[in-house]
Amino acid sequence: MTQSVVVQVGQCGNQVGCRFWDLALREHAAVNKKGIYDEALSSFFRNIDTRSGGSGPDIYKGKICSLKARALLIDMEEGVVNEIIQGPLRDVFDSKQLITDVSGSGNNWAVGHKIYGCQYRENIVEKLRKTAEHCDCLQCFFIIHSMGGGTGSGLGTFVLNLLEEEFPEVYRFVTSVYPSGEDDVITSPYNSVLAMKELNEHADCVLPIENESLFEIVNKINQMINSGKLGSTVKQNSVVTSSAGSAKTQEKPFDAMNNIVANLLLNLTSSARFEGSLNMDLNEISMNLVPFPRLHYLVSSLTPLYTLADVNVPSRRLDQMFSDAFSRDHQLIQADPKHSLYLACALLVRGNVQVSDLRRNIERLKPSLHFVSWNQEGWKTGLCSVPPVGHSHSLLTLANNTCVKPTFTELKDRFMKLYKKKAHLHHYLQIDGMEQSCFSEAISSLSDLIEEYNELDATKGGPRIDPSRLKIAV
Amino acid sequence: MSIVTVQLGQCGNQIGHEVFSALCSDIRGTHGLCSKKENESYHDSCKERFFCEEESGVPVARAVLVDMEPKVISQTLSMAARSGHWKYNSHSHFCQKQGSGNNWANGYSVHGPRHKEAIMNLVQKEAEKCDRLGGFFTMMSMAGGTGSGLGAFVTQCLRDAFPASFILNHVVWPYGTGEVIVQNYNSVLTLSHLYQSSDALLVHENDVIHKICAQLMNIKQISFRDVNQVIAHQLGSVFQPTHTGGEGSGYSRNPLGDLMETLVPHPEFKLLGLRNIPQMPENSLAYSTFSWPGLIKHLRQMLIANAKMEEGIDWQVRPPHPGSSIPSTSKPLHFNTSIANLVILRGKDVHGVDLGSFQDPSLYTSWLNPQDAFSAWKTPRAFNKYEKSASLVSNSQFLLKPLDSIVGKAWNMFASKAYLHQYTKFGIQEEDFLDCFTTLEQVISSYTNL
């Protein structure tokens, strides 16, 4: 079994990360009734012997003594991290996993990347090494951050760079929260584009998330619950946005939205942690969904958003879950994959679903989806037998689809609006190590990426006629 | 003679478990429908082939389990042990932690050389336990990374280490509409490499077995376990003991050798398809009766028309007029030409069955005598609760279309260079791909021109 380490950077990264750890504990508690430290737990948690004051060797087998998250919490101001380590999750982290400072990055990518990056580099490397040493077989780093600010964006991408240098064999999956058009951080386009260049070059896979989509999903759920349209009651702990059953007692405003992202990560790693008839490991995700190195942006969707308390789920409901996964309002970014071009698509099913259900739904949905010419049957499937808490089954869809293009194009437009007027540029250029070329290279990198997606859309991926096969002399 | 089974990857291990389960439950059953002496002889022969005795009395499968991640192997070992009727040797397995990521190159070029010694040691140990080694049976899928890539590497190692032994590869072909996106690449790489080192490839296609489960077995929500159990039944019907030398001779002592001898006369033609009838849900067995002539007639038509199961057979397809020398190009297009066929009959009144219709020369390509091209093995001992059961192992154009389809899709993807960087980073270059495509186009051409 392999281990993964979560690196949460900045305010957003840490808030989402906090929800992830909380829901992960809840999920394992539901499955692991006997309190034995098993391989599934070890993928994200260490088991420490508290009697030796936490400095002894990890316990690899036997009863759970004290679980510690395989995580690094990084923030350049203390508020969020302090709240975490004083809250109900305090025992899951220890002080050696935290890197904080006082003054923050001022929403400036350059401050996060160049100043703090330089300053904390050794500290970060050392702590990463330590975390890696505790892992028997480290497979993946998950970075969680936002793109629009200074720390998550700047220092987060600095860490991404570091990970590639220090641990080139380990996969780097990045969950990035992209700013919306009405973001109140004026310089968010600069921060995002500067960060995009780093993601283009150093990440294995990026899962872009947009706040607007999360917000719409939360609203939709609230409406459904409040309107009483559902008839029977909704199982509270099944709602993708809920913290019910976890350690958290008070719900904060962003919690519902962050829970969605946390559930995304849990579902992504479920097949690697739990058994199933067709396992889908993290290295398989990268292998199957990234046909060309730079096109590694995956649009995700989670269904169902909630489960009713009715125990008997007719198979029509099951099929509805598959249909929903492809609808616009279940995607975690503002995108419509059905009307764009698919390069590849992965379906990770959890719970009581068999291969025939999977096949039936693929057959049913295929005609309405457009796949690139060289990957007409580009489906990667996984079946994990353990469902998420509160559900009997669930589906995570990851799509490599040209529908990410609008997100990037809008980002580029917002960037250009500011850049043309050189607005706020001096805040960046006055930082040691920042030059005009950083900006021009970054926007060029983004433009190239958009161009690649344009190419694919225009040609649908290849020659119209099948390339002729090799001829054999008889 | 004993056969050592090597189970590779998730698919190989899951099916392998079902196969040993099926074999064991068949010999434990009391529905042999034959004399006690015959039954005992069958029992002993099967035990010798696939199991060895331990002090505890529980038969231990002659198998080596290999996977690059631990979950499936530990599940397989515990499921077998829980049955109480047989188990695996608790030391006879090798696994790693990370898996192969559906990457053939990772399985072949990285895991293969790295773990060659450890894996071959385990195989050697199993081989030494056999009084007489009859050969190797490897089980794998060709869509993933471990079964396919590491499987191809291990087959090569087996060939190098045991040059005189028979190697039969059981290969599972994935569903046409994607289980793995790069499945066509992995398939092309696997098949071309196996063709060099293996003696024969016995193929099962997921799509075909799925249809059998849906239409014949009446299973509503088909799981991989259901698919694997049908495959295990079909494999069992081939590998359980039979008389290859006619009535009165003992059970065959060299099953793999006999299989190769009858079916693979030429190294260019190694693809074997398998059909087994009848197939039905277990609770319908008691209410059904079959006659041998009926079964033989259906099986023959399944061969000629390339039908995948006994429902939906196209009875219009006929072999070309016997006696006339028709050049191969004008044979009716959907007629399935054979190189060699083997029919295995199990059950009641088996020795009186007339198989003349299978010796019709028009079924076969011209370069073998029909007497040599066709063999029949029989045993009166019924298999797996079926009063009568007939299997056909065929070296024919059965797999031509599916193979062509896989190569076509892989080539299409290769032309756009998609996913190639994933393979080149582990040492498989574009030239290697081209070599594999060439090999398979050659195979397709050979089979087409029968």
Side-chain angles (χ1 to χ4, degrees):
Chain A
M1 194 73 90
T2 54
Q3 290 80 41
S4 300
V5 171
V6 175
V7 182
Q8 30 194 93
V9 191
Q11 172 173 18
C12 170
N14 277 290
Q15 282 174 336
V16 174
C18 178
R19 299 313 312 133
F20 170 75
W21 291 111
D22 202 2
L23 292 180
L25 284 170
R26 183 179 77 162
E27 183 169 90
H28 282 283
V31 178
N32 190 340
K33 301 284 183 206
K34 295 190 189 143
I36 304 280
Y37 180 69
D38 60 10
E39 300 232 313
L41 263 176
S42 94
S43 60
F44 280 106
F45 295 94
R46 294 164 57 206
N47 190 18
I48 296 218
D49 190 349
T50 42
R51 290 166 302 178
S52 54
S55 54
D58 288 1
I59 308 175
Y60 288 104
K61 286 200 166 107
K63 271 213 162 299
I64 295 173
C65 198
S66 170
L67 290 176
K68 289 271 179 262
R70 299 186 193 278
L72 219 58
L73 287 68
I74 305 178
D75 201 355
M76 293 296 101
E77 53 177 13
E78 299 178 306
V80 180
V81 174
N82 276 344
E83 220 188 293
I84 297 178
I85 56 175
Q86 283 160 16
L89 287 177
R90 59 178 159 276
D91 292 326
V92 174
F93 305 105
D94 69 47
S95 54
K96 295 189 226 104
Q97 296 169 266
L98 315 173
I99 299 178
T100 55
D101 203 312
V102 222
S103 28
S105 303
N107 285 328
N108 186 328
W109 184 91
V111 172
H113 197 95
K114 304 279 181 190
I115 298 188
Y116 286 122
C118 202
Q119 191 177 333
Y120 282 98
R121 191 206 160 95
E122 260 178 62
N123 193 348
I124 295 174
V125 173
E126 198 202 306
K127 296 207 155 99
L128 284 172
R129 286 255 169 77
K130 258 278 157 54
T131 341
E133 270 163 36
H134 290 302
C135 297
D136 200 13
C137 180
L138 177 60
Q139 185 180 47
C140 185
F141 282 107
F142 285 98
I143 297 182
I144 313 179
H145 71 149
S146 71
M147 300 284 277
T151 303
S153 178
L155 188 54
T157 48
F158 180 81
V159 173
L160 176 62
N161 256 296
L162 259 191
L163 290 176
E164 188 174 21
E165 270 175 48
E166 301 287 324
F167 305 91
E169 307 281 305
V170 181
Y171 285 92
R172 295 171 292 283
F173 272 63
V174 187
T175 307
S176 307
V177 180
Y178 280 68
S180 65
E182 303 94 40
D183 199 85
D184 41 356
V185 176
I186 304 181
T187 49
S188 66
Y190 283 161
N191 296 331
S192 304
V193 173
L194 288 164
M196 275 291 286
K197 174 164 176 289
E198 308 298 318
L199 292 183
N200 279 342
E201 292 172 16
H202 305 292
D204 286 313
C205 270
V206 178
L207 300 162
I209 314 273
E210 281 182 290
N211 272 341
E212 277 163 76
S213 301
L214 297 180
F215 192 63
E216 280 168 18
I217 292 177
V218 170
N219 275 345
K220 190 170 156 184
I221 294 177
N222 285 337
Q223 269 175 12
M224 290 300 276
I225 295 180
N226 294 334
S227 72
K229 268 195 204 152
L230 295 177
S232 4
T233 37
V234 170
K235 280 160 96 177
Q236 267 313 303
N237 60 359
S238 74
V239 184
V240 76
T241 54
S242 105
S243 312
S246 67
K248 198 154 181 89
T249 40
Q250 271 180 325
E251 288 249 341
K252 288 276 198 65
F254 278 103
D255 276 351
M257 290 162 62
N258 293 339
N259 278 336
I260 300 177
V261 185
N263 274 311
L264 164 67
L265 288 172
L266 281 177
N267 285 343
L268 187 64
T269 55
S270 61
S271 191
R273 290 176 290 137
F274 301 114
E275 57 181 36
S277 62
L278 190 57
N279 296 333
M280 180 151 98
D281 211 345
L282 293 166
N283 49 8
E284 292 173 26
I285 293 177
S286 166
M287 173 69 181
N288 283 284
L289 293 174
V290 184
F292 300 99
R294 276 164 49 99
L295 301 180
H296 54 245
Y297 293 86
L298 307 178
V299 180
S300 48
S301 77
L302 287 173
T303 50
L305 299 174
Y306 49 78
T307 294
L308 302 182
D310 293 333
V311 177
N312 287 323
V313 180
S315 75
R316 203 172 46 88
R317 274 283 165 83
L318 187 63
D319 288 10
Q320 186 61 41
M321 178 176 81
F322 279 89
S323 300
D324 286 341
F326 291 91
S327 80
R328 199 183 205 295
D329 39 1
H330 280 77
Q331 308 303 316
L332 298 190
I333 64 168
Q334 299 283 292
D336 190 6
K338 262 188 152 160
H339 295 106
S340 305
L341 187 66
Y342 274 92
L343 281 80
C345 185
L347 299 172
L348 217 185
V349 191
R350 296 181 67 174
N352 184 18
V353 183
Q354 301 301 345
V355 67
S356 54
D357 300 312
L358 206 50
R359 307 226 61 71
R360 182 179 68 245
N361 281 289
I362 292 179
E363 288 304 313
R364 191 171 61 85
L365 293 165
K366 213 164 55 125
S368 59
L369 303 171
H370 311 288
F371 273 82
V372 87
S373 69
W374 41 261
N375 207 358
Q376 283 290 303
E377 285 118 3
W379 297 90
K380 165 69 181 155
T381 55
L383 293 166
C384 174
S385 357
V386 178
V389 175
H391 294 276
S392 58
H393 46 256
S394 77
L395 171 64
L396 164 68
T397 319
L398 293 171
N400 193 339
N401 187 310
T402 56
C403 66
V404 284
K405 205 175 51 173
T407 305
F408 297 152
T409 333
E410 275 163 35
L411 194 59
K412 180 178 170 184
D413 291 341
R414 276 183 257 138
F415 175 95
M416 291 311 292
K417 241 173 145 173
L418 290 174
Y419 191 59
K420 282 206 176 102
K421 301 205 193 104
K422 301 201 189 305
H424 303 282
L425 220 45
H426 55 286
H427 292 302
Y428 293 79
L429 295 177
Q430 73 194 16
I431 307 288
D432 214 5
M434 281 301 282
E435 286 160 17
Q436 192 90 18
S437 60
C438 296
F439 279 84
S440 52
E441 275 168 24
I443 195 65
S444 161
S445 173
L446 180 56
S447 299
D448 287 343
L449 184 66
I450 295 175
E451 203 31 54
E452 278 189 61
Y453 281 109
N454 273 333
E455 264 294 314
L456 284 167
D457 267 336
T459 61
K460 297 267 184 287
R464 288 266 153 194
I465 17 157
D466 281 328
S468 48
R469 302 256 296 266
L470 297 174
K471 298 249 185 307
I472 303 289
V474 174
Chain B
M1 265 197 183
S2 310
I3 299 175
V4 171
T5 301
V6 184
Q7 310 180 175
L8 296 142
Q10 173 165 27
C11 175
N13 279 293
Q14 284 176 187
I15 297 185
H17 168 262
E18 297 300 338
V19 170
F20 284 109
S21 256
L23 295 174
C24 200
S25 100
D26 178 43
I27 57 178
R28 279 179 45 246
T30 49
H31 37 259
L33 297 181
C34 58
S35 69
K36 189 153 173 269
K37 181 159 164 282
E38 183 85 48
N39 206 16
E40 271 169 20
S41 179
Y42 185 84
H43 188 118
D44 292 336
S45 183
C46 171
K47 282 282 254 328
E48 191 203 355
R49 259 181 219 191
F50 296 107
F51 299 92
C52 61
E53 285 296 335
E54 243 189 28
E55 316 84 47
S56 59
V58 176
V60 178
R62 298 184 189 277
V64 178
L65 291 72
V66 180
D67 200 358
M68 291 296 102
E69 62 106 355
K71 295 195 294 285
V72 181
I73 288 190
S74 70
Q75 243 190 318
T76 309
L77 290 174
S78 66
M79 268 169 75
R82 271 206 304 266
S83 74
H85 302 301
W86 67 280
K87 60 181 185 175
Y88 287 103
N89 182 331
S90 51
H91 299 294
S92 213
H93 63 96
F94 179 82
C95 65
Q96 288 294 284
K97 299 184 185 99
Q98 261 226 47
S100 300
N102 287 165
N103 191 324
W104 192 92
N106 195 5
Y108 186 85
S109 310
V110 178
H111 291 308
R114 203 180 276 176
H115 306 301
K116 174 178 172 173
E117 217 183 297
I119 296 174
M120 291 311 284
N121 273 341
L122 291 175
V123 173
Q124 189 71 41
K125 282 212 186 76
E126 278 300 327
E128 277 162 19
K129 281 196 234 163
C130 306
D131 275 339
R132 282 166 68 203
L133 179 63
F136 297 95
F137 183 54
T138 70
M139 307 186 71
M140 59 187 42
S141 76
M142 61 182 195
T146 299
S148 71
L150 181 60
F153 186 84
V154 167
T155 305
Q156 225 168 278
C157 294
L158 287 175
R159 174 53 70 215
D160 293 335
F162 300 90
S165 293
F166 292 106
I167 301 176
L168 176 65
N169 287 74
H170 178 248
V171 188
V172 173
W173 290 23
Y175 288 99
T177 52
E179 292 170 25
V180 168
I181 293 176
V182 290
Q183 62 186 43
N184 297 311
Y185 279 168
N186 292 338
S187 302
V188 165
L189 291 162
T190 306
L191 290 173
S192 55
H193 278 80
L194 286 182
Y195 233 79
Q196 322 292 354
S197 13
S198 169
D199 288 310
L201 279 67
L202 182 58
V203 173
H204 269 113
E205 301 164 76
N206 271 348
D207 281 304
V208 172
I209 307 296
H210 192 103
K211 276 221 183 84
I212 293 178
C213 286
Q215 292 178 241
L216 299 179
M217 311 295 279
N218 278 330
I219 303 175
K220 292 281 177 283
Q221 215 192 7
I222 301 169
S223 67
F224 271 114
R225 186 123 200 255
D226 297 317
V227 173
N228 294 344
Q229 283 175 340
V230 172
I231 293 178
H233 170 85
Q234 295 204 347
L235 289 175
S237 77
V238 175
F239 288 113
Q240 285 292 50
T242 52
H243 303 293
T244 42
E247 197 169 359
S249 67
Y251 282 117
S252 160
R253 311 267 355 251
N254 187 9
L256 286 183
D258 292 335
L259 197 82
M260 303 303 177
E261 204 189 348
T262 56
L263 290 172
V264 190
H266 189 294
E268 184 66 15
F269 300 91
K270 289 183 180 173
L271 294 173
L272 305 178
L274 177 53
R275 300 282 182 268
N276 170 271
I277 59 172
Q279 294 251 219
M280 60 178 49
E282 196 174 303
N283 43 24
S284 305
L285 280 175
Y287 308 103
S288 320
T289 44
F290 294 91
S291 71
W292 283 119
L295 287 174
I296 300 300
K297 189 163 165 219
H298 274 77
L299 201 57
R300 182 176 183 268
Q301 193 60 24
M302 280 167 73
L303 169 65
I304 294 174
N306 200 355
K308 313 289 187 185
M309 54 183 186
E310 62 255 48
E311 255 176 46
I313 303 177
D314 183 354
W315 290 94
Q316 301 299 327
V317 181
R318 296 228 174 282
H321 224 43
S324 50
S325 53
I326 304 175
S328 56
T329 43
S330 64
K331 272 195 177 147
L333 284 170
H334 31 264
F335 171 72
N336 183 42
T337 312
S338 306
I339 295 174
N341 286 312
L342 165 65
V343 167
I344 304 173
L345 302 177
R346 299 173 184 277
K348 205 163 150 204
D349 304 326
V350 113
H351 288 296
V353 179
D354 172 19
L355 288 164
S357 59
F358 272 95
Q359 287 176 303
D360 181 352
S362 60
L363 264 55
Y364 298 93
T365 173
S366 54
W367 28 276
L368 274 184
N369 228 322
Q371 279 85 2
D372 297 327
F374 175 72
S375 316
W377 299 351
K378 302 174 182 173
T379 170
R381 207 278 187 183
F383 171 66
N384 206 10
K385 304 189 185 129
Y386 282 80
E387 184 200 58
K388 300 188 177 84
S389 170
S391 294
L392 167 68
V393 186
S394 174
N395 190 345
S396 65
Q397 295 171 319
F398 260 171
L399 295 160
L400 184 49
K401 256 179 83 189
L403 178 61
D404 191 63
S405 163
I406 290 173
V407 174
K409 288 188 225 170
W411 183 250
N412 203 9
M413 195 182 265
F414 182 69
S416 72
K417 304 210 183 304
Y419 298 101
L420 289 181
H421 69 286
Q422 308 270 16
Y423 291 86
T424 51
K425 80 175 176 205
F426 289 116
I428 299 293
Q429 307 299 333
E430 281 187 37
E431 300 87 63
D432 300 312
F433 271 93
L434 282 172
D435 287 340
C436 295
F437 277 111
T438 314
T439 307
L440 291 183
E441 293 287 4
Q442 180 71 60
V443 173
I444 291 173
S445 172
S446 305
Y447 271 100
T448 311
N449 291 318
L450 279 184

